[in-house]
Every structure is written in structure tokens, then in C-alpha cells.
Amino acid sequence: MPKFIKYKFVNGLLLLGLSLLSPIGCQGDYGNPPSGKTVWIKPNETRLIFTMPELKQSQIRVRRYTSDNGKHIEELGEWYRFDKSSIAGLLLSQSAEGPPLNDPQDPMDIAGRWAVFRDQKPSFGILKKSNNILGPVIWRRTGIGTRTCVVFLQRWSLERRSTSSAPITSLSGYYCNKPGKVFSPSLAKKALKSIGLGQKTQPTLP
């Protein structure tokens, strides 16, 4: 169980808003991400799925980024409420050739990319691996203040090629329980199994 680090909780909605306003492409490891277009999309237009019952009454805001050459597509969604309920985020990053814009190798590498973790000092648990409908997923539990969360990522190539030029998709994100609530490993696995991708119409990679 990761140790909690105490801090004065800043307005969660403001933090979520900051992450939603930052360009998707700038969250990657690229110093100069390719130019492209970012648009807000309706919740029923996203492929991102997070079916945790605790998120049922949450609002979701989603942006989609498409590079000008069409080789990189990203969708970022965050589930939030105006009270201190459970919160979550998903980032789908797809590439037509080579690694996607966001391609972390460890779940703790993604924490700083989300406003809820930004400027905080989260403590991370050991790296674990399990499976969901999309395949293998690696994850860590993490503590921020009185919240316990799980950060996770999974990565795959639809063409099953091992070359560096193979199209790659990564899905990363987080789920945080209500402040002060117990967050067992079984709850973390339940959250991971609630992740999915829908079959909504999306831009086609070249």
C-alpha cells in the first residue's frame, strides 16, 4: 500500500480544468509535437470507455487531436464531478507509423501529465500486471493526499510487427477513489477491467 503524502487539497475542478485546456500533443515526450488540430467532441462521439459504477454520475469532457499529416490521433477524456467523488482520465494515442506521441514505459511516468497529480508528490506502489478486454495492462497504486489512485498503461500494435516503424497504440490513464476511502488491489483490478474502446467512427490513419 503506497504511503500517503499529506497536502492541502486544492480545488479539484480547477485542476481538472487546467489539464483539459492544455494541448494534447504537448503532453508527450516530444519537444516540438507535430502541428495539428484539437477539437472538443461530444461524449457520445468518443471511443473511450470507463464503466466504473462510481463514475456513472460523473461528467466527461473529451478532446481529439489529429496531426496535419494524419499519422497521429489522440483522444483525451476526464471524468469529474463538482464534489470530491471518484475521478478518472484516459488518453488514447495512436500512430500510423512508429511510436505514438504519448508512449510511456511505466505507469508512474504518466502521472505528471494529468492535472490532479501535477505539482504534487505522489508515492507509488510496486509495478503490477493484469489483463482486461484489451489485453495486458501494467499498473501501480499511488497516493496523493487523502486519495488513493491507480495509474496504468497498455500498448499494442494491431499489425503484430516488432519493427520500430510498426503502427502502435497506447492507452494510459488513472482512476482515483473518493478521499479517505480504502483502495484495495481488487478495486484497482476492477477499475482496469472497466476500461474499453468503443467502435465509434474515427479519423482513419493513413
Side-chain angles (χ1 to χ4, degrees), residues 160-201:
R160 304 296 180 186
R161 290 189 293 167
S162 58
T163 63
S164 60
S165 62
I168 296 172
T169 295
S170 73
L171 181 66
S172 58
Y174 71 92
Y175 172 83
C176 294
N177 211 0
K178 291 181 179 180
K181 294 292 184 180
V182 175
F183 199 109
S184 63
S186 61
L187 182 60
K189 291 179 180 180
K190 178 181 178 182
L192 298 174
K193 287 184 179 295
S194 73
I195 301 165
L197 293 177
Q199 299 299 318
K200 304 291 183 181
T201 301

Side-chain angles (χ1 to χ4, degrees), residues 74-144:
E74 293 193 333
E75 281 189 27
L76 181 149
E78 285 192 281
W79 287 256
Y80 66 97
R81 290 175 65 173
F82 292 99
D83 56 16
K84 292 183 179 179
S85 297
S86 299
I87 54 177
L90 284 176
L91 173 59
L92 174 68
S93 190
Q94 296 177 289
S95 168
E97 185 176 25
L101 297 182
N102 283 275
D103 192 28
Q105 303 302 308
D106 189 296
M108 65 182 179
D109 295 336
I110 72 167
R113 304 179 187 186
W114 299 96
V116 68
F117 297 98
R118 201 169 298 148
D119 299 323
Q120 307 303 327
K121 295 180 180 179
S123 57
F124 296 96
I126 63 174
L127 184 66
K128 296 187 177 182
K129 181 179 179 180
S130 55
N131 290 277
N132 59 19
I133 193 171
L134 299 173
V137 52
I138 55 176
W139 55 278
R140 295 179 186 268
R141 282 189 296 167
T142 179
I144 48 171

